Each structure stands twice: as C-alpha cells, then as structure tokens.
Amino acid sequence: MPYATAQHLRDEGWRPEQFGGAIFDFDAYLGAVIADAALWVAAKLGAAYVGATGYVQSCARRAEIHMAGAMLFKRRATFVDSGATQGLERQAYLERRGYMEDAARLHECALATLRDALLFLGLPTDALNDAPALAVGHIETGPYPLTSAEATNVG
C-alpha cells in the first residue's frame, strides 16, 4: 500500500493539462504512477517498508513522490515529443531536455531520501546502487618480467 496519494502529486503541481487534458480520471492516472513508484521504493527499503512509521514512513512517502514525479516528467517529455510538428523543433527539444533533466534530478532525490531512511534504521545502503558493478584490471603477458605487482601474468 503506497504511502503517497494522488493529492500529494497534485500538491506538487501536476495537472491533467500538462498531458493535454485528455485524461478522464486524473486521480486514477496518478494512482497508477504512485503504485509503480511504491513498488520501486518497497524493493529498495525491503522489510522496513511494510509498517513503516514516523521518519521512515515520511521518507518512504517522499521517495514515492519523487519517483512518481520522475516518471511523470518522462511521460511529459513523451507528450511534448508527440506534439512536435517538425523534426526536433528547437523549443520542443529544449523543453524535452529540461523534463528529462528534471526526471533525473527527482530520481536522485528519491535515492537520497531512501538513503536517509536506511541510515536512520542502521541498514546498509548497498541496495540503492542502480548502476551495475564494474571491475577493472589488467593482464601482462609475454616472456618479459612483470612491470606492475597488481598484474596477473598468464604468459
């Protein structure tokens, strides 16, 4: 059950007119976005999400609002793209780029809010890393002696 509501997103300034005004039940539309955001937040917080109270509940709600906002900014960018009459019109391009930057910033805000909640609970924040891990190394081969102690010689 999400902690955020459609009213929270309306309070953030989201209106049906931003999507062309053709959405019949905007609260249901926002509710579906919040439900998706809540699944993401629950996956990141784990067992701490269920039955959260106080500060953790507040963090979960704010993270849902931030993540839902990021999703809505991406949808808004798609709406702007769908209304372009010619290839990438300069103004439409700048507007779309701004929406995508706003979406990225809200995603970072959601992660920071969840990090606060996990640190408050004394839990590790490793689950918040959305990027895959990367390992870098090097190998030296051939008849020559190693030039660095860290290299693995397979020659």
Side-chain angles (χ1 to χ4, degrees), residues 1-154:
M1 181 75 178
Y3 294 112
T5 64
Q7 187 59 47
H8 287 110
L9 291 180
R10 283 185 176 276
D11 293 344
E12 293 290 315
W14 293 103
R15 301 285 178 258
E17 295 79 23
Q18 295 170 302
F19 303 92
I23 300 171
F24 178 69
D25 187 358
F26 193 59
D27 284 342
Y29 181 81
L30 293 177
V33 173
I34 290 170
D36 284 346
L39 290 174
W40 181 80
V41 171
K44 297 296 183 184
L45 280 181
Y49 181 80
V50 179
T53 59
Y55 182 69
V56 176
Q57 181 183 14
S58 174
C59 287
R61 180 176 36 257
R62 284 185 290 133
E64 289 172 1
I65 292 167
H66 292 320
M67 191 61 186
M71 295 165 68
L72 288 170
F73 268 119
K74 288 180 181 179
R75 291 180 182 192
R76 177 81 173 120
T78 302
F79 173 73
V80 169
D81 277 351
S82 70
T85 56
Q86 300 174 358
L88 289 173
E89 292 179 4
R90 180 80 177 141
Q91 186 58 38
Y93 168 74
L94 292 174
E95 194 173 345
R96 182 188 189 287
R97 187 174 71 181
Y99 292 145
M100 295 307 285
E101 290 170 358
D102 289 339
R105 279 191 291 273
L106 279 172
H107 185 261
E108 289 301 317
C109 287
L111 287 173
T113 304
L114 292 177
R115 188 171 291 109
D116 285 350
L118 290 172
L119 290 173
F120 177 80
L121 293 170
L123 297 172
T125 59
D126 301 346
L128 299 180
N129 298 328
D130 280 347
L134 173 68
V136 178
H138 69 279
I139 299 174
E140 294 182 11
T141 63
Y144 307 104
L146 291 175
T147 59
S148 67
E150 296 86 25
T152 304
N153 191 347
V154 295

